[in-house]
Amino acid sequence: MPIQHKSNHTLRTVLLMILFLGMAGIQTSFGERQGTRSSRADHAVNRERRTQQNKPQGYSTEQAISDQAQLHTIAFSGLAFLTGDYGASTFLPPGKVCDFFGFQYMRDIDAAGKGHNPMFLNRVASNVIYILNDAQKQRLMDLAEEQAPQLETLARMRLPLIAAFHHELRGDIPNSSTGLNKEAVREYIGGIFAFDAELSYRRAEVFGQIAVSLTPEQKDALGKMKFGDFDTWPELDERDHFKPRGKSKLFNVAYMTYASEFFSWYAGSVYADTYFCPERHGTYFGGFYMKDMPAMGKRDYDISTSVTGDSGKQFLGLLSPSQRNNITGIIEWQHEPLLEIVDVRKAISQELRKFLANQKPDREKVLALGKRYGELDGELSWNYANEFAKVNQTLTADQRSAMMRLRNLEGYESAPYYIYSRSINDQPETGDVHFFFFAPKKGES
């Protein structure tokens, strides 16, 4: 049955309080220290960082989970959600799925500062395509052929969830519900991430097959390309020559993504694979659309690395103290889930890297870890959606006008929805999303 309107629904009160004081050495958004890091966090972050050959240049896992980075990123998502629409919320860069191959870290620490320019991926992918032989490139093309429809399925799995979040934002929920059900959101996103892990496993398998087949000459050529330094990569643009006939856009995107990630994985480390940027989680609120849309269709466009933090900070400044508390209160609540996310990502990365040594990882372990990863992302996303909706209920007309100016996308109009960054002009098929507002029945997921 369709969702019914509830005029004066009551949002659930968040009663969860995480009794955790960790994250020593990370500066909080309020200029205070939060105590000492747990031994689990040390295991997940610090040990690998000490052995990482390529030192971070302002970016690290520690920085990504710091209170200040998280606060401003969440605030940026809140701004995007409150000023955007459903279509904008579905926009997602393809590199934000199956991301256990070190590419995000390589681009964030790039010594040349080109990591967030479209030229970056093209340059590294073009060099890999140039170095690989026909048989090795065919493996990547076969993988793209296999996974392009699966990647589309993965993107479409997000659509009902995002629709439910927008119902919550508007207060358009079933009469017998008090709001989004945490367990329903957790389980649904757990399924999305389990599928993500399955695709990642297959991607690592093919990468491993290529790695063990490299000739000494190929290894030497790859070795001359420095991880995290765009300026050491020869100037090539394979896109001008790679134009397979009859292939989908998602096939082409997948092929170039695989070529670029093969290098970042081959030349990187477990630390690089574990790393994530602060905006990796809770990707259902339109932040990527707001940040990336001006760069769409441009080959040489530098996306500012400060736009998320700056806009998030300004958004917080537009809120009243009580509204601001809805956002800042998230930070303490999510300490524990974020630390577990680091552990889970590291465990997945360690398992997948067995393919590089011509060993077979434990597939069931990877899928189980992927599901757990999604459950943790679900906890974060459920909380974000709740708190954003609370802020939305109390905004004044002046606040809304100021937020639209801060959005800074005048003249842009989103498509009905996106499959990653590809606009789709048909109306999305989300089905009945009422199940997100009730606890799952026993035995269902």
Side-chain angles (χ1 to χ4, degrees):
M1 67 177 186
I3 283 200
Q4 297 176 327
H5 290 263
K6 181 180 179 182
S7 57
N8 292 309
H9 77 283
T10 303
L11 293 170
R12 64 167 52 85
T13 302
V14 179
L15 297 175
L16 297 175
M17 178 169 292
I18 306 301
L19 299 177
F20 176 79
L21 300 174
M23 302 177 68
I26 296 177
Q27 188 71 23
T28 72
S29 59
F30 311 105
E32 300 171 347
R33 300 287 181 179
Q34 293 288 327
T36 58
R37 224 183 247 284
S38 67
S39 59
R40 184 161 63 80
D42 287 330
H43 176 72
V45 178
N46 293 334
R47 189 180 68 177
E48 286 303 326
R49 189 181 185 193
R50 287 194 297 269
T51 60
Q52 170 64 13
Q53 183 177 3
N54 301 291
K55 299 299 180 183
Q57 301 174 8
Y59 292 92
S60 66
T61 309
E62 295 95 328
Q63 185 271 339
I65 64 174
S66 70
D67 284 3
Q68 184 169 358
Q70 285 292 316
L71 176 61
H72 290 161
T73 300
I74 293 167
F76 185 80
S77 293
L79 171 65
F81 195 47
L82 296 177
T83 60
D85 56 21
Y86 174 82
S89 295
T90 65
F91 184 98
L92 181 73
K96 290 297 182 288
V97 298
C98 305
D99 65 331
F100 304 103
F101 301 96
F103 185 80
Q104 184 67 52
Y105 185 68
M106 185 173 73
R107 73 187 304 179
D108 280 355
I109 67 163
D110 181 51
K114 283 292 184 182
H116 294 272
N117 187 301
M119 294 173 60
F120 185 82
L121 182 148
N122 177 243
R123 179 74 59 86
V124 65
S126 298
N127 275 277
V128 169
I129 291 169
Y130 180 78
I131 292 169
L132 298 185
N133 61 38
D134 288 344
Q136 292 163 339
K137 285 185 285 190
Q138 189 62 50
R139 286 187 183 275
L140 294 183
M141 285 188 276
D142 289 345
L143 181 64
E145 189 78 46
E146 172 189 327
Q147 289 201 332
Q150 296 171 325
L151 289 167
E152 176 152 347
T153 296
L154 185 64
R156 290 187 180 278
M157 290 173 72
R158 293 162 39 88
L159 301 182
L161 174 74
I162 294 169
F165 285 171
H166 277 269
H167 279 293
E168 177 72 12
L169 181 69
R170 298 190 303 267
D172 178 15
I173 67 176
N175 286 328
S176 54
S177 172
T178 58
L180 286 166
N181 181 270
K182 179 180 177 181
E183 190 60 26
V185 172
R186 262 175 43 104
E187 290 196 14
Y188 190 84
I189 300 182
I192 294 176
F193 275 60
F195 187 41
D196 180 295
E198 186 174 1
L199 299 185
S200 299
Y201 184 93
R202 176 66 177 141
R203 188 180 299 187
E205 183 178 26
V206 173
F207 286 178
Q209 292 167 351
I210 294 173
V212 299
S213 71
L214 292 172
T215 66
E217 293 78 15
Q218 288 175 318
K219 292 178 181 178
D220 182 64
L222 290 169
K224 292 177 181 177
M225 296 171 61
K226 185 176 179 182
F227 182 101
D229 192 349
F230 176 90
D231 285 339
T232 68
W233 306 340
E235 187 174 347
L236 296 173
D237 192 344
E238 191 66 19
R239 287 184 302 183
D240 292 333
H241 309 286
F242 177 70
K243 296 178 180 178
R245 295 180 180 179
K247 299 298 183 182
S248 68
K249 180 178 180 180
L250 194 50
F251 171 93
N252 296 334
V253 169
Y255 181 75
M256 294 295 285
T257 298
Y258 298 158
S260 65
E261 289 188 351
F262 173 76
F263 174 76
S264 62
W265 197 50
Y266 176 80
S269 66
V270 170
Y271 183 87
D273 299 345
T274 302
Y275 169 85
F276 56 87
C277 59
E279 59 198 1
R280 172 61 183 92
H281 307 107
T283 60
Y284 317 102
F285 304 104
F288 286 115
Y289 178 92
M290 194 165 69
K291 185 175 78 169
D292 292 354
M293 190 49 60
M296 291 297 296
K298 300 179 177 68
R299 283 199 175 190
D300 187 3
Y301 184 97
D302 290 311
I303 299 174
S304 171
T305 57
S306 64
V307 63
T308 299
D310 291 348
S311 296
K313 185 177 181 180
Q314 292 175 60
F315 168 72
L316 291 172
L318 295 175
L319 301 180
S320 69
S322 62
Q323 291 167 338
R324 195 177 305 116
N325 285 340
N326 288 121
I327 309 301
T328 59
I330 294 171
I331 303 305
E332 172 106 5
W333 181 91
Q334 70 172 15
H335 282 162
E336 187 70 15
L338 279 175
L339 287 173
E340 188 175 350
I341 281 173
V342 175
D343 283 346
V344 170
R345 285 187 61 90
K346 181 180 177 184
I348 292 173
S349 300
Q350 288 175 321
E351 202 65 29
L352 294 181
R353 276 193 165 266
K354 291 180 181 179
F355 278 124
L356 276 176
N358 205 20
Q359 301 171 2
K360 188 172 183 179
D362 186 333
R363 181 176 180 275
E364 295 308 313
K365 180 179 179 180
V366 171
L367 299 190
L369 286 166
K371 184 175 187 297
R372 179 57 185 158
Y373 188 9
E375 290 171 348
L376 293 164
D377 181 74
E379 290 183 15
L380 301 182
S381 302
W382 167 82
N383 200 16
Y384 298 169
N386 278 336
E387 299 307 321
F388 295 160
K390 291 176 185 177
V391 172
N392 188 55
Q393 288 181 327
T394 60
L395 289 176
T396 67
D398 286 344
Q399 284 177 315
R400 292 187 189 278
S401 295
M403 289 176 189
M404 289 305 297
R405 290 193 295 272
L406 185 56
R407 182 177 178 82
N408 196 30
L409 283 180
E410 185 176 356
Y412 287 90
E413 183 177 350
S414 66
Y417 70 101
Y418 293 85
I419 296 300
Y420 301 107
S421 58
R422 175 169 57 95
S423 62
I424 308 294
N425 291 322
D426 299 330
Q427 291 303 311
E429 296 182 7
T430 61
D432 184 4
V433 300
H434 79 281
F435 66 91
F436 285 108
F437 296 90
F438 300 97
K441 295 179 181 179
K442 189 174 182 180
E444 293 185 353
S445 61

